[in-house]
Amino acid sequence: MKLASPEVLPIDGFRFAGLAAGIKANGRPDLALAVADAACSAAGLFTTNLVRAAPVTVAEARVLGGRARAVLANSGCANACTGAPGLEATLASTRAVARALGAPDAEVLPASTGVIGALLASSKIEAHAAALVSALSRDGAAAFAEAILTTDRGPKVASLRGEIAGRPFHVLGIAKGAGMIHPAMAPAAPHATMLAFLFTDAAAPPRALARALALAADATFHTATVDGDTSTNDTLLALASGRAADASRGDDEPATALVDAFTSVSDLLARAIVSDGEGAEHLAEIVVRGLASDADARVVARTVATSSLVKTALFGRDPNWGRLLAAAGRAGVAFDPARARIAIEGIGIVEQGVAVGPDAEARARAILERPSYTVELTLGDGPGRARYLTCDLGLGYVRCNADYRS
Amino acid sequence: MKLASPEVLPIDGFRFAGLAAGIKANGRPDLALAVADAACSAAGLFTTNLVRAAPVTVAEARVLGGRARAVLANSGCANACTGAPGLEATLASTRAVARALGAPDAEVLPASTGVIGALLASSKIEAHAAALVSALSRDGAAAFAEAILTTDRGPKVASLRGEIAGRPFHVLGIAKGAGMIHPAMAPAAPHATMLAFLFTDAAAPPRALARALALAADATFHTATVDGDTSTNDTLLALASGRAADASRGDDEPATALVDAFTSVSDLLARAIVSDGEGAEHLAEIVVRGLASDADARVVARTVATSSLVKTALFGRDPNWGRLLAAAGRAGVAFDPARARIAIEGIGIVEQGVAVGPDAEARARAILERPSYTVELTLGDGPGRARYLTCDLGLGYVRCNADYRS
């Protein structure tokens, strides 16, 4: 498997476009379209938040059929909590693009991100539908990626090449963050407005594709957090054009190579999202091991990863292991604190539940200057293990979110 | 019932003192002592964090007997995660004070707050034990309150006078915050290092006193949060000197008047703690109603009260109802978002799940300038109701916690 980021590998069977339709007040690109050459296999995961934006409701209903032609995504407006007019706006937007493509409405999957409560101005999308379709191109992924950003500092794209029985296939992933990020999507479960789209030229029937997507999300997006807030709009979609290798084992099971490829691309995207969390300066991978089960370890990892005191300490480059251990201790999972070991990039700062000493902490403090690092809590000798990606909570996060609507 | 804050009512049977023992590097007061004239009825609640400081272990074991003579509290060092030497330091500290008082060691209840991982310098307490006892006075509550502070901006004291069958009694409460505040204490359950002490001249046997304390804590401290992080050191103690009215109904049940008095004083202290949360500028009371049960309402209220996006919006004086509704929606509790109503101090900003409009939001924005206000979410017409006290998350919180150990 070859990772090819930031270079974007061509994915046979798809074209992409992005442009500014005037949805964002600042005039930046805000409308993105991905189109398969023909209707193809599709699968999706959507936010588990009870409050769900109109595009989530529509995309979820449409992807149930297992086939799609296009993904229409906008930034600048989440179209959430907008009632019946919001639903109409989403339907009108996808209808306009479907007509421009000559496809049925039901084959266009919508996704939106931006402020909650503002109604999507579908007239702007209708007015730009033809231009958007005209702009589609094989190398338009960068324009697509740019047009879905909100508080992100930059686009998030990853691609790789896999092989099945000597035949190659490719996966391209495009995502955006950067706040309300704690994906909990069903059928499995993520958070934020995270939007993420995986395109592959492999062949996989819808159920096999959905299975690969769920497995990949569970190992990546579902163990990633920026601020612990699961969005009303989280959407993860996969489309498979079927031009390259067959990546399924029957209707229901994906090939391992497809799961691996989806997981690798999703991991890159999840890391890009958390690294670019609102105001974040550091990506921290919290690894918890030694507990009774993976599920227990995941609860502890999530509690540590979402602790405000842990996250502000990381912002302060402070190897404040007391906060790490205290967060683990309130997770509701049994372990013996007197046996705890904590290490930062392999530098032990706690052994048997007590401090190793100032020298170790000074070395750990130097590590915490880095843009990314691992924080490892070993809490016993059980087999349970989990990881969570998080970022520091700094002044930039507060500035971003105190001013976001103003 | 008469509230008498900031004036402190005299509580018959107790003396207080506070001084600087050199535990804090900055030389401010850091050692506090409260002493009953004779061993008296006592009860306590302690953190549910699996990681528990030495003073928590010792105080919990000692208060089980239901009698105590004194509370010895220090700031500047939590004495948590300090292993066997930490336990020895706590025991040596209480032993020194017990000797100076001429009381058994087991009647001195310790409590500590400060940085986790540093060993308590018991020699400093031993060296100041005699001076501390000499400084005890009937009107020393202010000195006690000052000496337990850490990141607090000021002391937290509340007192009131109650009456039972024509006989008066008094309750004095003293507490400290200001971070790692999300009390979850057993037998019921609090967080932070919150330390809070209730002194009353009423008579109540230990089990009745414990019951009154648990009921009061559940209605107040256990629905209060600053940062969602439950501390390793949370301690809530009550001592009853028995000089005034009998406030029990048999061995196990407290008089309603005692529960009410404990609850009122605890509510004042909880509000003081959250108002003075690290960097906080606003106290927000999140009220959730209309759900199937109080327990459901409490889960939603807690989810909203601990949401970083909600708290940063409050810092920004932004009536960002989308974040309020999104937080409620991810709480895992069933409700119909399309029926939601949200009001800030009675000003409706969401009706039937959608925005009321910019005028209402402008009026709500003006309310959010105030030091305290109520945010009310009505999510149906069920009987379930709960409230949670929280504060905004601002630049001050990040500065406080990024620099805390440095």
Side-chain angles (χ1 to χ4, degrees), chain A residues 204 207-209 211-212 215 247-250 252-259:
Chain A
R207 289 206 299 273
L209 189 66
R211 175 89 180 131
L215 289 171
S248 64
R249 298 180 294 182
D252 297 332
E253 282 301 310
T256 303
L258 184 64
V259 175

Side-chain angles (χ1 to χ4, degrees), chain A residues 114-180:
Chain A
V115 177
I116 296 173
L119 181 65
L120 181 64
S122 55
S123 60
K124 293 177 180 172
I125 297 175
E126 292 168 312
H128 288 83
L132 193 63
V133 170
S134 300
L136 287 167
S137 78
R138 299 281 167 204
D139 55 2
F144 181 108
E146 186 72 31
I148 62 173
L149 304 181
T150 53
T151 53
D152 307 68
R153 280 173 285 211
K156 291 152 186 74
V157 180
S159 62
L160 61 74
R161 180 182 181 284
E163 210 176 270
I164 296 174
R167 280 195 70 191
F169 70 97
H170 303 83
V171 176
L172 166 66
I174 305 176
K176 58 84 55 181
M180 215 181 247

Side-chain angles (χ1 to χ4, degrees), chain B residues 340-363:
Chain B
R341 176 176 197 274
I342 299 179
I344 291 174
E345 282 290 330
I347 299 170
I349 53 173
V350 171
E351 297 283 0
Q352 303 291 331
V354 299
V356 170
D359 289 354
E361 289 183 34
R363 288 195 295 144

Side-chain angles (χ1 to χ4, degrees), chain B residues 364-385:
Chain B
R365 188 179 296 269
I367 300 286
L368 296 183
E369 296 285 345
R370 297 183 185 170
S372 74
Y373 46 76
T374 300
V375 177
E376 198 172 327
L377 293 88
T378 306
L379 302 175
D381 49 20
R385 186 184 185 289

Side-chain angles (χ1 to χ4, degrees), chain B residues 196-217:
Chain B
F197 310 105
L198 302 184
F199 303 94
T200 180
D201 49 17
R207 289 206 298 272
L209 189 67
R211 176 88 180 133
L213 191 65
L215 289 170

Side-chain angles (χ1 to χ4, degrees), chain A residues 49-51 81 117 180 228-230 307 309 312 318-321 323 325-326 329-330 333 335 361 397 401 404-405, chain B residues 49-51 81 117 180 228-230 307 309 312 318-321 323 326 329-330 333 335 361 397 401 404-405:
Chain A
N49 198 312
L50 211 58
V51 180
C81 305
M180 215 181 247
D229 272 295
T230 303
S307 158
L309 286 171
T312 48
D318 178 4
N320 195 321
W321 57 266
R323 294 185 188 173
L325 200 53
R330 69 174 168 86
V333 168
F335 68 91
E361 288 183 35
Y397 179 81
N401 283 296
Y404 187 56
R405 292 209 316 177
Chain B
N49 198 312
L50 210 58
V51 180
C81 307
M180 215 181 248
D229 272 294
T230 302
S307 157
L309 286 171
T312 48
D318 178 4
N320 195 321
W321 58 265
R323 293 185 189 173
R330 69 174 167 87
V333 167
F335 68 91
E361 289 183 34
Y397 179 82
N401 283 296
Y404 188 56
R405 293 210 315 179

Side-chain angles (χ1 to χ4, degrees), chain A residues 211-227:
Chain A
R211 175 89 180 131
L213 191 64
L215 289 171
D218 195 54
T220 60
F221 298 121
H222 290 179
T223 57
T225 186
V226 168
D227 49 21

